[in-house]
């Protein structure tokens, strides 16, 4: 930052130190490498000064001061190592240890424990305490205690040093109030509020920040000593936030995942999906060898046989009907190297543009859709959210979809006073933070956004905004009143939001998958685009449709889509010496073509469209018509069942590679273990097929890297062109027979179709549930856990109900992460909003 | 001589009713304040009076009010600290039970002085009756339009809420009180920020003791100079002392600051019980160091008691005669402080527990050689090492007892029995 920051100069241990005003003495000391021991201090939490280990002596102050909570002042003379300080520290350690069990031999924290380390560095080797140590009742029986405070967290209060970091982070950072301090004085204990458990999406962080072994998780407990493990740098492979991770492994097993703090992205917090999702790599039932369908059975085969068969079949089809009769679907959780190889294989060897990574989206556009793709490729910085004074969250249950972006929004609101508005078809957790949680009639989002544009254009026209008049003209004769009516929102609230946006200095508009997965995405994107124009957002903020998965952005930037921007096409053409002229098909059109027998083969890597494509009937019919289906995955899925060749795929902990997060930042992750069984990484599978089919795709690793870099150098589309888009005002019809809007979404603790294999994540949720609001439950007399039947035009489904306090309107949410649920049987790809009726099933 | 100002109508059972209170000249000061004074003038008058905080710390009230930032756009809050829990102290309870409108009026004036439109009275959880009487007084004040909207037609609004705590000593500490009032666990906060800048809900807040606020209407009615004419040079006005222990007439006595301790004990309290001699005096509540009978002539004001080696504190004078075992006294006290430690700061949390274990075993006759030195050292490691003064409060009487009556402790350890041979049982 070029701004002049006021500084303060003080003296620490005889050294002059200059720090920005507002820095604590502790941080000032740290900045010049002077270490002061701490327990309760955490860089991202407000200091509380509870543990008292960070004493320093400051001239002119008679008492020892806690450096974590003392602001550095000009001319201060600080001593961190005086005799008085040392005595003070020793005293604190003596106090902490009098009732501490010192059960280090059986404590999982041993070897990375702040109490061990600080006692080693500053403590005494004997205790003057000659009483029996206090024992908390629940842990009195044995050392191998088992008092759970959440699905994954075990508490041992005897070890707790009451730094309160878990309780503080839970409230301050995660906004959770399920954990608290009970009793008082030296028998204070950390426990859950009555009837609560620590089960938020962020719960694992509480274990990670515990300085001792008081909170441990069942993932890591009693499995290995930390000093026997090696640390591997990794990046999360689930959502697109791109949190940095450390994998802790020994030989061929990963034992845990912790955060690897990156202040630009995650600030040291990760969600439980990232923390426990690695477990799926080493669960029973992994596919370890290729399978080839013989008759009705898939039987084990060698890689040579499998690859040989694929190459032969592909050549047959290509020779007979052309490469365009082969399509490819690849998971956006595959690394950049695999994605690029996939695209290169299809485009240079099969001469087909039939590739896509979006298997969970409805009706994708046939042509490049300008406003939508502009918003998906707009530049967006997670860290910039906190510099915004006004934030608009549209079409996403943010905490579920992008847990770490949600934390940044929380920070902006709670620590920086930003105003948050949410705009969703149902209530979400983010709404709790908002000035106004606007819940519109499902399916009417663009009407609301256009209404906002009308309100803003009227004001901006008066203020000399050149585009405002044009926009106003285009929106006529619609009015804010009309828009408000369509969406079921009062006009006053719409106008309040318009005014908040108009008067904002810096804005972040965050758009999620309820928009990107909708067939109306282009109309909504056009309305958001108009909003950015009338707000002149180029100069005062950011707006983006956030990409969904770890490497969705990579897939976009590297061109794993049927239709590409001209620039990208041009670059690929020159790089590869050619580019297929034929029109490509997106996911839904590939399936459509299969149904019509215009597509003969599909190569599917890591994706499970049979269960995830939002039209179950359609995708099943399509895939049944295919001549030849190749599916690579970690486990058997609904899609591998339909395959002629099944290939065992490696998980991301078994390979190195790169992911591009939703900001467009490419991050490298390292392999922690060897591929499980005979599995192979996606990129190797593609390379193997290509080599057998025609020849290798890349000469060496350098060539991949170079090509990736060249593609990434192609500018994504300019941020916001100064032009007004077409306007649509859709009204949503309510169908009497199917009254409730249905949203098929990710379960809070799951992502994609594989995380149900993670033992820890299954402990949070192991089966699909029908989430409904308390009011709807009351209306239909449904109790928590009772079975309900959902019926849509296309299918039926019986599942247990879950009454969610978060919801307060009549919508239905089902998770799509569990095998055997087939929630997509209720969906239709062309329908903007799926609708169902809900019937209580009376158990016999 | 008693000087009854706050206690003027303390014996009138009807004083709790607003009509009687008004008939006795009540709410005149409130009316005068709203109709004729600017907030700054109120603060000036209180500054002039020299009124100091009666909760224990003795911080000048007017100065505290002045710390509230004038330009803050945030709402401000006034809080009356009625969490009176210091062992020996029972003055605020009497004020609330016998003259609750005096407290309400004082709160109202103070709220006006700092520009607050919402005042809280945080009453100790066990104070069921005082809380009920305060609530009734507030309700009466609303009914008479002394509170609410547009008071006295001046356009000034003030709301008042009586809130009962959960019954924790720590919540008498102002930052713990703020946490408790916010619905959090009652644990002290680090300062800065000070409550005057960031207090309740991170807004400017002033927390004053009941007795301090009850003195304010009298200062407004009679002028700061009148109040300052009483007392000593630095300790002005009157103060209520809660006299308890081995005296003939224990009770609450309001006297001018600077009145000799001996006058309070001998004249007002009727002196020690017949046939007994005073052994030790706690002058300012259980957390203050002991005074010896030789110091009985010390004047009761902040400076003189400090000069005598103790503190005026909340004005709870506890008298003990020669039959009192000091080990037993200290055991009772450390049990209290261990129980009331909030658990936040390590030295207080762990130290009070350890001290209780050590002192209990000495009291039981199981003390070991070296225990007294260990206690000395633990006390040193707690004193001045915690956020709030609870740690200091726990330690100061112990240090004082070990200094003045060390032989009694040593006797317990060496002979496994009590030196005092107490025949007087408190049970």
């Amino acid at each position: 930052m070029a701004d002049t920051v006021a500084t303060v100069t003080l003296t620490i241990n005889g050294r002059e130190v200059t720090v920005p005003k507002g820095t604590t003495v502790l941080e000032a000391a740290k900045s010049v490498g002077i270490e002061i021991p701490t327990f309760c201090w955490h860089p991202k939490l407000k200091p509380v000064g509870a543990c008292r280990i960070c004493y320093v002596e400051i001239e002119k102050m008679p008492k020892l001061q806690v450096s974590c909570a003392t602001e550095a002042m000009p001319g201060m003379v600080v001593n961190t190592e005086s005799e008085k300080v040392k005595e003070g520290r020793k005293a604190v350690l003596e106090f902490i240890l009098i009732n501490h069990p010192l059960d280090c031999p059986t404590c999982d924290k041993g070897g990375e424990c702040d109490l061990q380390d600080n006692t080693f560095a500053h403590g005494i080797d004997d205790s003057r305490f000659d009483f029996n140590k206090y024992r908390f009742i629940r842990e009195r029986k044995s050392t191998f205690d088992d008092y759970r405070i959440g699905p994954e967290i075990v508490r041992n209060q005897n070890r707790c040093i009451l730094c309160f970091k878990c309780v503080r982070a839970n409230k301050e950072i995660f906004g959770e109030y399920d954990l608290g301090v009970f009793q008082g004085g030296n028998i204070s204990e950390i426990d859950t509020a009555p009837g609560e458990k620590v089960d938020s999406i962020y719960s694992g962080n509480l274990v990670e920040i515990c300085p001792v072994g008081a909170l441990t998780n069942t993932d890591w407990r009693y499995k290995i000593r930390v000093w026997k493990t090696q640390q591997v740098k990794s990046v999360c492979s689930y959502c697109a936030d791109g949190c940095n991770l450390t994998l802790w492994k020994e030989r061929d097993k990963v034992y845990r995942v912790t955060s690897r703090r990156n202040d630009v992205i995650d600030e040291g917090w990760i969600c439980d999906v990232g923390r426990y999702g690695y477990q799926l790599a080493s669960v029973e039932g992994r596919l370890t060898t290729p399978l080839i369908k013989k008759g009705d059975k898939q039987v084990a085969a060698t890689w040579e046989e499998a690859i040989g068969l694929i190459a032969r079949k592909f050549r047959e089809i290509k020779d007979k009907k052309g490469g365009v009769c082969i399509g490819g679907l690849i998971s956006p959780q595959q690394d950049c190297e695999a994605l690029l190889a996939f695209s290169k294989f299809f485009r240079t060897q099969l001469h087909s543009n039939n590739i896509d990574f979006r298997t969970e989206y409805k009706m994708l556009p046939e042509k490049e859709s300008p406003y939508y793709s502009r918003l998906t490729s707009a530049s967006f910085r997670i860290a910039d959210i906190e510099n915004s004074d006004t934030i608009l969250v549209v079409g996403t249950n943010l905490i579920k979809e992008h847990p770490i972006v949600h934390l940044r929004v929380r920070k902006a609101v709670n620590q920086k006073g930003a105003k948050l508005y949410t705009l969703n078809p149902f209530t979400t957790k983010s709404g709790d933070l908002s000035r106004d949680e606007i819940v519109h009639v499902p399916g009417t989002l663009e009407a609301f956004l256009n209404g906002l544009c009308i309100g803003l254009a009227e004001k901006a026209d008066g203020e000399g905004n050149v585009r405002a008049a044009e926009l106003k003209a285009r929106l006529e004769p619609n009015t804010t009143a009309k828009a408000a009516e369509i969406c079921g929102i009062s006009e006053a609230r719409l106008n309040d939001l318009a005014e908040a946006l108009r008067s904002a200095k810096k804005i972040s508009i965050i758009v999620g998958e309820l928009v990107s997965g909708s067939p109306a995405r282009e109309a909504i994107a056009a309305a958001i685009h108009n909003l950015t124009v009338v707000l002149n957002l180029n100069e005062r903020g950011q707006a983006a449709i956030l990409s969904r998965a770890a490497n969705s952005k990579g897939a976009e930037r590297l061109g794993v889509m049927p239709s590409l921007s001209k620039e990208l096409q041009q670059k690929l053409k020159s790089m590869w010496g050619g580019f297929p002229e034929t029109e490509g098909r997106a996911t839904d059109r590939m399936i459509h073509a299969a149904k019509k027998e215009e597509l003969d083969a599909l190569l599917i890597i890591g994706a499970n469209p049979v269960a995830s494509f939002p039209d179950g009937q359609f995708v099943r019919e399509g895939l049944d018509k295919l001549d030849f289906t190749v599916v690579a995955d970690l486990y058997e899925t609904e899609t591998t069942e339909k395959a002629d060749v099944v290939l065992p795929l490696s998980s991301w902990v078994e390979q190195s590679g790169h992911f591009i997060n939703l900001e467009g930042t490419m991050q490298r992750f390292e392999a922690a273990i060897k591929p499980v069984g005979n599995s192979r990484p996606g990129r190797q599978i593609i390379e193997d097929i290509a080599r057998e089919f025609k020849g290798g795709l890349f000469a060496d690793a350098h060539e991949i890297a170079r090509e990736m870099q060249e593609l990434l150098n192609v500018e994504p589309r300019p941020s916001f062109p100064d032009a007004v888009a077409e306007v649509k005002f859709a009204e949503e019809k309510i169908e009497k027979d199917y009254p409730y809007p249905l949203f098929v979404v990710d379960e809070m603790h799951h992502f994609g179709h594989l995380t149900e294999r993670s033992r820890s994540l299954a402990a949070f949720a192991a089966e699909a549930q029908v989430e409904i609001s308390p009011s709807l439950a009351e209306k239909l007399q449904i109790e928590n856990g009772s079975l309900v039947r959902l019926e849509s035009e296309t299918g039926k489904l019986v599942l247990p109900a879950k009454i969610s306090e978060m919801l307060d309107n009549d919508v239905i949410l089902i998770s799509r992460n569990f095998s055997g649920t087939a929630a997509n049987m209720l969906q239709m790809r062309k329908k903007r909003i799926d609708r169902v009726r809900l019937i209580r099933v009376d158990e016999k | 001589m008693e000087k009854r100002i706050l206690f003027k109508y303390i014996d009138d059972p009807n004083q709790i009713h607003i009509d009687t209170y008004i008939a006795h000249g009540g709410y005149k000061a409130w009316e005068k304040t709203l109709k004729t004074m600017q907030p700054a003038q109120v603060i000036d008058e209180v500054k002039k009076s020299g009124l100091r905080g009666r909760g224990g710390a003795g911080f000048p009230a007017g100065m505290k009010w002045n710390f509230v930032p004038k330009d803050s756009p945030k709402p401000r809050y006034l809080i009356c600290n009625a969490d009176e829990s210091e062992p020996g102290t029972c003055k605020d309870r009497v004020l609330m039970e016998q003259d609750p409108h005096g407290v309400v009026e004082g709160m109202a004036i103070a709220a006006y002085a700092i520009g607050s439109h919402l005042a809280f009275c945080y009453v100790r959880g066990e104070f069921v009756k005082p809380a009920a009487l305060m609530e009734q007084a507030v309700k009466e004040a609303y009914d008479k339009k002394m509170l609410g909207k547009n008071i006295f037609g001046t356009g000034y609004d003030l709301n008042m809420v009586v809130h009962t705590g959960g019954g924790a000593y720590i919540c008498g500490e102002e930052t713990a009180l703020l946490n408790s009032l916010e619905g959090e666990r009652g644990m002290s906060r680090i300062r800065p920020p000070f409550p005057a800048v960031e207090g309740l809900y991170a807004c400017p807040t002033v927390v004053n003791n009941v007795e301090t606020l009850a003195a304010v209407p009298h200062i407004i009615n009679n002028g700061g100079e009148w109040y300052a004419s009483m007392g000593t040079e630095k300790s002005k006005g009157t103060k209520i002392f809660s006299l308890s222990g081995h005296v003939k007439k224990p009770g609450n006595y309001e006297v001018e600051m600077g009145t000799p301790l001996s006058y309070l004990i001998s004249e007002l309290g009727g002196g020690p019980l017949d046939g007994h001699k005073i052994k030790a005096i706690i002058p300012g509540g259980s957390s203050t160091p002991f005074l010896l009978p030789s110091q009985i002539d010390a004047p009761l004001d902040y400076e003189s008691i400090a000069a005598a080696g103790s503190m005026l504190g909340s004005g709870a004078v506890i008298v003990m005669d020669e039959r009192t075992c000091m080990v037993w006294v200290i055991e009772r006290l450390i049990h209290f402080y261990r129980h009331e430690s909030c658990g936040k700061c390590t030295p207080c949390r762990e130290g009070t527990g350890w001290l209780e274990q050590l002192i209990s075993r000495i009291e039981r006759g199981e003390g070991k050689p070296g225990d007294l030195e260990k206690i000395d050292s633990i006390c040193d490691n707690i004193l001045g090492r915690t956020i709030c003064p609870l740690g200091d409060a726990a330690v100061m009487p112990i240090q004082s007892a070990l200094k003045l009556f060390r032989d009694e402790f040593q006797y317990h350890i060496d002979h496994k029995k009590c030196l005092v041979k107490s025949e007087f049982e408190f049970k």
Side-chain angles (χ1 to χ4, degrees), chain A residues 674-736:
Chain A
K674 290 202 303 262
V676 169
N678 260 328
S679 71
R680 290 181 184 176
R683 76 163 94 145
Q684 191 189 336
I685 291 174
I686 299 157
E687 183 75 43
D688 289 346
I689 295 172
R691 190 169 296 128
E692 188 68 22
F693 185 80
K694 191 176 175 188
L697 293 166
F698 302 100
D700 52 24
H702 296 294
E703 193 181 348
I704 309 182
R706 187 182 50 75
E707 289 196 3
M708 267 174 10
Q709 201 47 57
E710 276 194 48
L711 291 175
L712 295 178
N713 286 344
V714 176
E715 271 294 301
R717 291 164 195 79
S719 42
F720 299 113
D722 190 17
V724 175
E726 282 298 324
V727 172
K728 280 187 189 147
F729 253 75
E731 258 179 273
E732 182 68 12
K733 279 197 295 277
I734 310 283
E735 294 159 50
K736 253 201 226 131

Side-chain angles (χ1 to χ4, degrees), chain A residues 51-52 55 128 171 183 185, chain B residues 184-185 341 374 377 385:
Chain A
C51 76
R52 321 301 286 177
Y55 286 136
R128 298 184 291 168
K171 282 185 194 169
Q183 305 289 349
Chain B
E184 296 279 332
R185 180 180 162 91
S341 169
K374 217 184 261 183
S377 154
R385 301 276 174 88

Side-chain angles (χ1 to χ4, degrees), chain A residues 562-575:
Chain A
S563 69
L564 303 179
S565 72
K566 281 206 182 64
E567 296 81 6
L568 202 54
Q569 269 191 46
Q570 214 56 50
K571 170 54 77 181
L572 287 171
K573 198 171 183 177
S574 67
M575 206 162 75

